[in-house]
Amino acid sequence: MNAPWKPAGSGIRDPFVAYVCDDATADALRPVVAAMGWTADKVHKGGLRSGIQTLSVSASPQILFVDLAESGDPLTDINALAEVCEPGTVVIATGQINDVRLYRNLIASGIHDYMLKPLNPDMLRDAFTQAQAMFHAPKVVDHAAERPHCSVAVVGARGGVGASTIASSLAWLLAEQDKRSTALLDLDVHFGTGALALDLEPGRGLTDAIENPSRIDGLFIERAMVKASDKLSVLSAETPINAPLVTDGSAFWQLQEEMRASFECTVIDLPRGMLVQYPQLMADVQAVVIVTELTLAAARDTIRLLSWMKTHAPQALVHVVANRIAAAGQPEINRKDLESSIEHRIDHAVPFDPKLACLAAKLGKPMAEAGRGGKTVAPLIDLMNTVVGAVAAGNDGKMPKPGSLVGRLGELKGLLAKRMPKAKAK
């Protein structure tokens, strides 16, 4: 609701409208409204519900005052109001609940201020003055800081290799270390952990987008994204597992288009099954991170993914990340054999640190934040710098031409034979 002001729409907007629940609130408002030079007749009875009904069919005012006294669920009702408010509307709410958690949640949802009843003239006058200044404040655009959009897809070669962990850490690094406005799009609609990794509730944004692709626009993105910080926002879902995914994929493509216009970076946590169903998702992705591990199954599927990327995303620069590299113990296959079989070097190797993984989960932070300065995070920082550098340079690098897919899968059989010890004669 406190979106950047759009001057084109200001000419048809009322400067102020209020929807209140009782005569005492209306009587407190009218003299202050008149003193501000606004029309006292714009103070209406009916509360928030009346405001939502009216604003769904009429232009939003510059400053909107709503009364939550009759609301059973203020946060849900404010979110419903956001669905009908135009960008730039500055919302001030009042109510009878004196709860700091409610105040913080309301502010986080996008309103400008929450005022506790009973209202007094000085309180109202100060709030309206600040709201007016906020509405008319020019939007600051730093043209010198404009940078090309960076779109990255993170795909796991196998389930459980830690692709979502890499995706959330990469998004956090882009936002907090490289200072780029970043969107994390978690496309595992049933079992995604993008919001969970950042200690957030996923919301209904992604589910609404899938059900109603025609609603997706810049305003929808602004309201649907859950903010993890000033620079990082997340769009994910926890769709019931008895509700199958029914879509042609157009919603996912539109989401990427709108995120490209609204953010400097998009990190897509992309389940590998989605590649099969919706190959068009990779059409405009500039970089792909394939997360793998030192096992034969992961090697086989890394080969298949590299071949798929060559056909369906030839424009993307592919980075292979070997995750959970143990300091001790014999891996199923060693790094050299993996690189030989996939005909692609391991660009980044992330050490396995179970203590850091446990700490990050307990704190509700991505691993890159929980383990700042550690040896586990260093390869992730290198990955972030490599991706950003490739995009800034125009992404001229291409995937090395892989050999025959059948031939490389045949090499895996040789590795399997080498791995199995010879049986001793009885």
Side-chain angles (χ1 to χ4, degrees):
M1 288 171 284
N2 293 340
W5 175 45
K6 294 185 178 179
S10 62
I12 59 172
R13 290 187 171 197
D14 288 322
F16 176 83
V17 174
Y19 296 93
V20 301
C21 297
D22 55 80
D23 291 331
T25 304
D27 292 341
L29 277 173
R30 288 191 179 102
V32 179
V33 169
M36 295 290 296
W38 302 328
T39 304
D41 291 342
K42 293 297 182 179
V43 179
H44 304 291
K45 297 288 290 294
L48 180 60
R49 182 171 299 179
S50 176
I52 293 172
Q53 292 176 346
T54 303
L55 294 173
S56 65
V57 294
S58 63
S60 302
Q62 296 176 5
I63 300 171
L64 176 63
F65 187 92
V66 292
D67 193 342
L68 303 177
E70 296 178 354
S71 173
D73 188 345
L75 281 176
T76 299
D77 290 341
I78 284 292
N79 288 332
L81 177 66
E83 294 292 328
V84 298
C85 269
E86 297 175 30
T89 301
V90 181
V91 178
I92 299 172
T94 187
Q96 298 171 325
I97 301 175
N98 186 8
D99 185 343
V100 68
R101 289 176 298 178
L102 174 63
Y103 173 80
R104 289 173 178 169
N105 289 333
L106 289 172
I107 296 299
S109 71
I111 74 168
H112 174 64
D113 199 2
Y114 174 74
M115 308 173 69
L116 192 64
K117 292 185 178 184
L119 305 173
N120 67 66
D122 291 338
M123 180 196 309
L124 290 169
R125 192 178 298 108
D126 290 344
F128 293 158
T129 300
Q130 292 175 14
Q132 196 173 40
M134 181 176 180
F135 182 84
H136 290 293
K139 182 184 178 183
V140 178
V141 179
D142 186 2
H143 294 284
E146 289 182 355
R147 293 174 284 192
H149 184 84
C150 177
S151 179
V152 188
V154 181
V155 185
R158 300 285 298 170
V161 296
S164 294
T165 299
I166 299 293
S168 60
S169 288
L170 180 60
W172 186 87
L173 287 168
L174 287 165
E176 303 303 324
Q177 180 162 310
D178 208 44
K179 304 301 180 184
R180 295 170 182 257
S181 58
T182 303
L184 174 59
L185 175 59
D186 185 351
L187 290 184
D188 188 342
V189 299
H190 291 99
F191 302 104
T193 58
L196 183 64
L198 296 164
D199 196 25
L200 299 171
E201 291 291 334
R204 279 193 50 85
L206 183 54
T207 303
D208 290 342
I210 295 170
E211 293 174 352
N212 301 287
S214 61
R215 291 184 55 200
I216 301 173
D217 56 17
L219 181 58
F220 176 87
I221 291 294
E222 178 193 340
R223 291 171 176 170
M225 301 291 289
V226 180
K227 290 184 72 68
S229 67
D230 290 341
K231 291 286 188 179
L232 178 60
S233 299
V234 183
L235 187 61
S236 61
E238 286 183 4
T239 304
I241 58 177
N242 61 348
L245 182 62
V246 181
T247 175
D248 60 0
S250 61
F252 304 137
W253 184 84
Q254 288 176 256
L255 285 171
Q256 291 182 64
E257 285 291 298
E258 293 299 335
M259 287 178 178
R260 190 173 292 108
S262 302
F263 297 88
E264 292 178 288
C265 296
T266 305
V267 178
I268 308 167
D269 188 352
L270 186 61
R272 55 184 182 154
M274 300 284 276
L275 295 175
V276 179
Q277 292 180 285
Y278 313 109
Q280 69 271 24
L281 294 180
M282 299 298 297
D284 296 317
V285 170
Q286 296 157 300
V288 178
V289 177
I290 297 177
V291 183
T292 189
E293 61 185 0
L294 300 182
T295 65
L296 284 167
R300 180 201 65 182
D301 290 339
T302 302
I303 291 171
R304 300 170 74 192
L305 284 171
L306 287 169
S307 179
W308 191 97
M309 295 298 171
K310 181 187 176 185
T311 302
H312 295 88
Q315 81 288 346
L317 182 62
V318 176
H319 306 265
V320 176
V321 175
N323 195 27
R324 298 177 178 174
I325 303 298
Q330 182 67 29
E332 193 169 317
I333 59 175
N334 61 42
R335 176 171 176 168
K336 183 178 178 181
D337 286 340
L338 177 63
E339 290 178 327
S340 175
S341 64
I342 68 176
E343 294 187 3
H344 194 295
R345 69 186 183 92
I346 300 300
D347 299 289
H348 306 277
V350 182
F352 180 51
D353 188 340
K355 291 183 179 179
L356 176 57
C358 183
L359 177 64
K362 287 181 178 179
L363 296 177
K365 294 180 178 180
M367 192 173 293
E369 182 180 6
R372 284 191 241 195
K375 62 180 182 179
T376 301
V377 178
L380 300 177
I381 296 174
D382 291 341
L383 172 63
M384 183 266 293
N385 289 329
T386 303
V387 169
V388 169
V391 173
N395 200 9
D396 293 329
K398 297 297 180 183
M399 289 177 56
K401 292 184 178 180
S404 164
L405 175 61
V406 175
R408 284 183 289 160
L409 289 174
E411 289 179 12
L412 283 176
K413 294 181 179 179
L415 290 176
L416 181 60
K418 286 167 59 178
R419 184 188 66 169
M420 298 298 293
K422 293 181 179 179
K424 293 182 180 180
K426 293 184 179 180

